[in-house]
Amino acid sequence: MIILALLPATFFAQQSTTNDSTKVIQLDEVLISSIRITSKTPISFSNLDKKDIAPRNLGQDIPILMNYMPSVVTTSDAGNGFGYTGIRVRGSDATRVNVTINGIPYNDSESSGTYFVDMPDFASSLQSIQLQRGVGTSTNGAGAFGASLNMLTDNYSKKSNAEISNSYGSFNSHKHTVKFSTGLMNDHFELAGRVSTLKSDGYVDRASSDLKSYFFQATYVGKTTLIKALAFGGKERTYQAWNGIDADMLATNPSFNYSGMYTDQFGNTQFYKNEVDDYQQDHFQLHWNEKVSTFWNTNVAVHYTKGKGFYENYHQDASFTDYGLTPVGSLTTTDLITRKWLDNNFYGTTFSANYKKNKVDFIFGGALNKYEGSHYDEVTWARYASTSQPGDNYYTAFGNKIDFNTYSKVNYQLTTKISLYGDLQYRYINYKANGIMAGDANVNFNFFNPKAGITYDFNKKSSIYFSYAKANREPNRTDFENGLPKSEKMDDYEFGWRLKTTAIKLNTNFYLMNYKDQLVKTGAVNDVGSELRANVDKSYRAGLEIDAMIRFSSKLYFSPNLTISRNKIKNYAVDTGSGLVNYGTTNISFSPNVIAGSKFTYLPISNLQVSLLNKYVGEQYAGNFDTEETKLKSYATIDFNASYEIKPKSVFQAIVFSALVNNLSNHHYISNAYLYGNNYMSYFPQAGTNFLVGMTLKF
């Protein structure tokens, strides 16, 4: 299987920028200098730019588009990449991946989660994505304990243009997108935007998605100034598919969905039609980039994010008192419907200054952000009335968080062959919350995160590097439900070799991530579907990452990657209620020892590109006990992707046809699971062979 995975993942794409004739420092150039890295930085990373994303951008979520990047494993609740999706890097889930949009933190401040479903079709407004593995470079937002994902939105366009994109595929999946740009008006102003709608029935029963999104930006360009105002967001309404299925149902009906199931008064099994998750999120960003002098560039941004939504559940034979209702006569239970709401605000500022001259590339920056979250639950209907009326809140809680950080980092060219890297970050967090099982929380964290490294160039084609990074990270809201968790600490060591010639680009990277008090997934979830974690004293991740792009000819490319790793908890001890049980050294949950991928691309004629993509994920465990019951089997998938562009002589600048066939071998596999207790497993099966086709009209 491993050899197969290396036969036909992502193109190794270095970020490119085009200098404007006015010599303005572009938005993406400034952000790259503050939160992104290049081959001169001793950190493992990969890039995806717009041309890499476009052929597969037919409606599936951002994590699925990143599936073929090194050390990446993805999953989809609905089984086909629409709706709720997840990503893990080096075995670390998305709550441990620091995600930023134009340098603005995106992770939810309380859960640390990244819900890309709230921004459907956001890939259509991205200029590029950079994934830094390990601790990465200092940035804003939550600490990176597995990776940093930096997304940069579209740059401005000099010329006016427009696009209409439509796609359709399996499970009644479809996407409709309209984009436009006025181009630079009077050489200074540009207006651009996008609106999208996406729908899918999902592979899993009733796992439907009804998604809408928008993206608008206004840009001012001056000789030394670039100002951008952005407004973007989305509305999602998805039928819940986060419960999974048990082993018996997996064997007989893998697409079954327990969500919303109840028995009516006649004894018939029914499914509540509004067992949905409904959420809207709106983002506003203002960026001001200034070229202060020949050597100094600055960036200041302010931002505001508004989120509000609920998920709705039908409860059968629910206790009156559990939901704040007064019992009716001798009755103690009733059928009822609840909505659990989250209403939050996130706002703040980020800033950076970059000095670049001769041998020195110095950056100073930071951020001050505040999160205000309100949690409240209500009963919207009850079969039997009571003196407490449906619509009254039976639960209210809050979570407020202040996050401040400041950092400085430098790349210094010591000699023609040796460059040094230094990075110091201080981070302060204050978190206040109530309504959690462990009682109210009012905690402060002060973290100092130093990083240093060295790069040695053998010549213009080959170099080696070594880096060390210290990382600290605070617990999330759910962690406090298990008591008073400790903050996590990690020492990250990276050693790599880079080779770049006209025919091959090769990156080889060894890593060791030593953890103290790491919060690892137990495999269990709480009553609202959040995965529970617990501190373990000592653990580590160690591995080898190899990724390359081989150019056989101008028409034939091969991009393989491979990760081989060990991910262990030392002396794993669990309190069973009657004392500690030591399981010895065990595997960290959801951390396969082998991850491999590849992309084989052929350009047979002008404007036609066909690709064969392969992914292999080794066996992994849903818990930390290394039992056969918690083991998930290895799997391999093969996808086919094609893109053909026609350039008419009138009306359209181009017409692009795209096709994607996922899972060609029709392999039925499990990419995710939950562990309830010690032996009950809930599985998330993924779709067999499915397809998406699309057409884009460019004006």
Side-chain angles (χ1 to χ4, degrees):
M1 284 295 189
I2 299 173
I3 295 174
L4 175 64
L6 290 173
L7 279 177
T10 53
F11 269 106
F12 223 64
Q14 293 299 320
Q15 171 70 17
S16 61
T17 56
T18 303
N19 292 326
D20 186 76
S21 57
T22 57
K23 306 299 184 183
V24 173
I25 300 300
Q26 306 270 356
L27 173 65
D28 55 351
E29 290 177 340
V30 174
L31 291 177
I32 286 171
S33 67
S34 61
I35 66 172
R36 287 200 167 187
I37 58 178
T38 68
S39 57
K40 285 294 184 181
T41 311
I43 293 172
S44 177
F45 73 101
S46 297
N47 290 339
L48 281 179
D49 64 19
K50 184 180 288 291
K51 72 176 185 299
D52 300 317
I53 297 170
R56 296 177 56 231
N57 184 26
L58 298 172
Q60 292 180 305
D61 214 352
I62 286 176
I64 307 302
L65 297 177
M66 297 174 59
N67 185 50
Y68 296 94
M69 300 184 81
S71 299
V72 166
V73 176
T74 62
T75 187
S76 166
D77 283 5
N80 68 324
F82 283 73
Y84 273 88
T85 58
I87 187 171
R88 300 189 187 103
V89 185
R90 292 184 179 177
S92 296
D93 66 75
T95 66
R96 310 167 73 74
V97 177
N98 175 286
V99 181
T100 57
I101 302 173
N102 298 329
I104 307 299
Y106 180 64
N107 297 68
D108 178 77
S109 293
E110 285 199 279
S111 69
S112 297
T114 48
Y115 304 104
F116 294 101
V117 68
D118 297 332
M119 297 191 302
D121 198 30
F122 194 58
S124 292
S125 294
L126 288 179
Q127 187 71 24
S128 66
I129 294 172
Q130 183 176 87
L131 181 67
Q132 301 172 14
R133 294 181 290 277
V135 172
T137 187
S138 286
T139 183
N140 305 312
F145 255 51
S148 294
L149 174 61
N150 305 317
M151 297 185 288
L152 294 176
T153 58
D154 281 339
N155 204 344
Y156 68 84
S157 175
K158 295 180 184 179
K159 297 181 179 180
S160 61
N161 62 81
E163 291 184 13
I164 299 175
S165 299
N166 295 282
S167 63
Y168 180 80
S170 301
F171 316 114
N172 196 29
S173 303
H174 49 98
K175 177 176 83 80
H176 309 289
T177 301
V178 176
K179 290 184 67 176
F180 74 91
S181 169
T182 63
L184 281 182
M185 300 179 291
N186 298 322
D187 295 326
H188 288 295
F189 298 96
E190 184 230 25
L191 297 175
R194 172 189 57 81
V195 292
S196 303
T197 63
L198 299 85
K199 290 187 177 182
S200 176
D201 293 340
Y203 161 69
V204 173
D205 295 344
R206 303 181 313 286
S208 59
S209 302
D210 186 355
L211 316 172
K212 300 176 178 65
S213 72
Y214 66 93
F215 178 93
F216 296 104
Q217 67 177 12
T219 305
Y220 169 77
V221 179
K223 287 186 177 180
T224 60
T225 304
L226 180 66
I227 299 175
K228 270 197 171 186
L230 300 96
F232 57 91
K235 172 69 182 292
E236 62 90 5
R237 185 178 175 89
T238 58
Y239 197 95
Q240 295 168 25
W242 55 53
N243 292 322
I245 55 176
D246 56 33
D248 291 338
M249 192 61 72
L250 179 65
T252 58
N253 187 4
S255 63
F256 187 79
N257 186 4
Y258 284 102
S259 296
M261 188 170 70
Y262 70 97
T263 304
D264 65 18
Q265 61 268 38
F266 305 107
N268 300 314
T269 298
Q270 303 286 351
F271 294 94
Y272 179 54
K273 66 178 182 179
N274 287 325
E275 195 89 350
V276 297
D277 180 82
D278 190 307
Y279 192 80
Q280 179 164 342
Q281 192 174 78
D282 300 289
H283 300 254
F284 305 93
Q285 298 181 0
L286 178 63
H287 296 266
W288 185 342
N289 305 303
E290 192 74 31
K291 184 175 182 179
V292 179
S293 68
T294 304
F295 309 114
W296 280 98
N297 306 307
T298 62
N299 169 254
V300 177
V302 292
H303 66 90
Y304 171 66
T305 300
K306 174 64 180 180
K308 186 174 182 178
F310 63 87
Y311 62 90
E312 188 167 318
N313 295 107
Y314 189 101
H315 304 269
Q316 189 158 29
D317 296 327
S319 168
F320 280 98
T321 56
D322 285 349
Y323 294 90
L325 301 175
T326 303
V328 176
S330 60
L331 296 175
T332 58
T333 64
T334 181
D335 289 5
L336 53 81
I337 297 170
T338 62
R339 283 185 174 179
K340 295 192 174 186
W341 287 86
L342 174 61
D343 185 353
N344 52 24
N345 300 278
F346 179 63
Y347 53 90
T349 181
T350 66
F351 58 89
S352 66
N354 180 207
Y355 173 80
K356 195 170 185 179
K357 182 180 180 182
N358 299 330
K359 299 179 179 181
V360 178
D361 188 354
F362 172 75
I363 300 167
F364 170 78
L368 176 61
N369 299 305
K370 186 173 184 181
Y371 171 90
E372 299 168 344
S374 175
H375 307 258
Y376 57 96
D377 302 349
E378 63 176 349
V379 175
T380 61
W381 172 86
R383 183 175 298 279
Y384 302 107
S386 72
T387 54
S388 301
Q389 295 301 313
D392 293 341
N393 295 346
Y394 65 90
Y395 169 87
T396 58
F398 72 87
N400 296 333
K401 188 174 184 178
I402 295 174
D403 191 335
F404 167 77
N405 84 89
T406 182
Y407 60 83
S408 59
K409 45 192 173 184
V410 62
N411 275 299
Y412 180 70
Q413 195 70 42
L414 183 64
T415 70
T416 56
K417 291 183 176 294
I418 300 175
S419 60
L420 304 178
Y421 170 74
D423 185 338
L424 302 175
Q425 183 197 52
Y426 167 73
R427 186 163 174 249
Y428 166 78
I429 303 105
N430 171 256
Y431 179 57
K432 298 178 181 178
N434 70 349
I436 52 181
M437 293 181 182
D440 296 347
N442 186 355
V443 293
N444 296 295
F445 299 96
N446 290 275
F447 297 141
F448 177 59
N449 302 314
K451 308 171 184 68
I454 183 171
T455 301
Y456 179 81
D457 297 325
F458 293 106
N459 49 52
K460 292 183 179 180
K461 298 179 180 180
S462 178
S463 64
I464 60 172
Y465 63 84
F466 172 77
S467 66
Y468 163 78
K470 181 78 174 181
N472 294 271
R473 183 178 173 89
E474 73 277 15
N476 64 29
R477 181 184 179 92
T478 305
D479 295 327
F480 284 96
E481 295 186 3
N482 284 338
L484 296 175
K486 301 175 184 177
S487 62
E488 304 172 274
K489 309 161 193 68
M490 191 250 283
D491 295 294
D492 183 17
Y493 304 87
E494 309 271 339
F495 175 71
W497 172 52
R498 293 184 175 121
L499 174 67
K500 182 179 180 180
T501 70
T502 56
I504 185 171
K505 296 177 184 177
L506 174 65
N507 281 351
T508 301
N509 184 73
F510 297 89
Y511 65 89
L512 172 61
M513 301 162 69
N514 263 330
Y515 297 90
K516 172 66 176 175
D517 298 323
Q518 182 183 186
L519 285 160
V520 301
K521 288 185 179 181
T522 63
V525 295
N526 64 9
D527 61 336
V528 297
S530 296
E531 296 175 280
L532 299 179
R533 305 187 302 178
N535 288 113
V536 294
D537 184 33
K538 293 181 180 180
S539 56
Y540 69 89
R541 302 182 187 274
L544 166 66
E545 296 169 325
I546 303 172
D547 62 303
M549 195 281 283
I550 304 169
R551 182 176 181 269
F552 294 113
S553 70
S554 60
K555 294 186 176 183
L556 195 59
Y557 299 84
F558 178 44
S559 303
N561 63 64
L562 172 67
T563 301
I564 302 174
S565 65
R566 287 174 58 85
N567 311 275
K568 300 291 185 180
I569 301 172
K570 299 180 179 179
N571 298 315
Y572 183 48
V574 177
D575 189 349
T576 61
S578 57
L580 285 176
V581 176
N582 193 311
Y583 291 90
T585 298
T586 65
N587 286 286
I588 302 176
S589 58
F590 302 107
S591 300
N593 292 335
V594 179
I595 304 171
S598 63
K599 181 178 180 180
F600 188 87
T601 301
Y602 180 50
L603 294 79
I605 60 174
S606 178
N607 299 326
L608 174 62
Q609 173 182 300
V610 294
S611 299
L612 197 63
L613 304 100
N614 184 266
K615 188 75 176 185
Y616 173 83
V617 177
E619 65 181 29
Q620 53 186 314
Y621 294 89
N624 302 303
F625 304 107
D626 290 2
T627 62
E628 286 299 316
E629 291 78 13
T630 61
K631 182 187 292 186
L632 302 182
K633 295 180 180 179
S634 62
Y635 61 87
T637 61
I638 302 174
D639 298 346
F640 172 79
N641 187 206
S643 177
Y644 180 60
E645 183 177 50
I646 300 174
K647 294 187 176 181
K649 296 182 179 180
S650 62
V651 183
F652 303 111
Q653 290 185 0
I655 302 174
V656 182
F657 298 94
S658 302
L660 176 65
V661 182
N662 299 299
N663 197 358
L664 278 172
S665 61
N666 198 32
H667 180 55
H668 292 273
Y669 64 100
I670 308 298
S671 61
N672 193 24
Y674 291 149
L675 173 66
Y676 294 87
N678 291 327
N679 53 20
Y680 177 78
M681 291 281 289
S682 181
Y683 301 95
F684 291 82
Q686 303 299 289
T689 302
N690 62 96
F691 75 94
L692 290 162
V693 294
M695 180 176 69
T696 298
L697 305 176
K698 297 183 178 182
F699 299 88

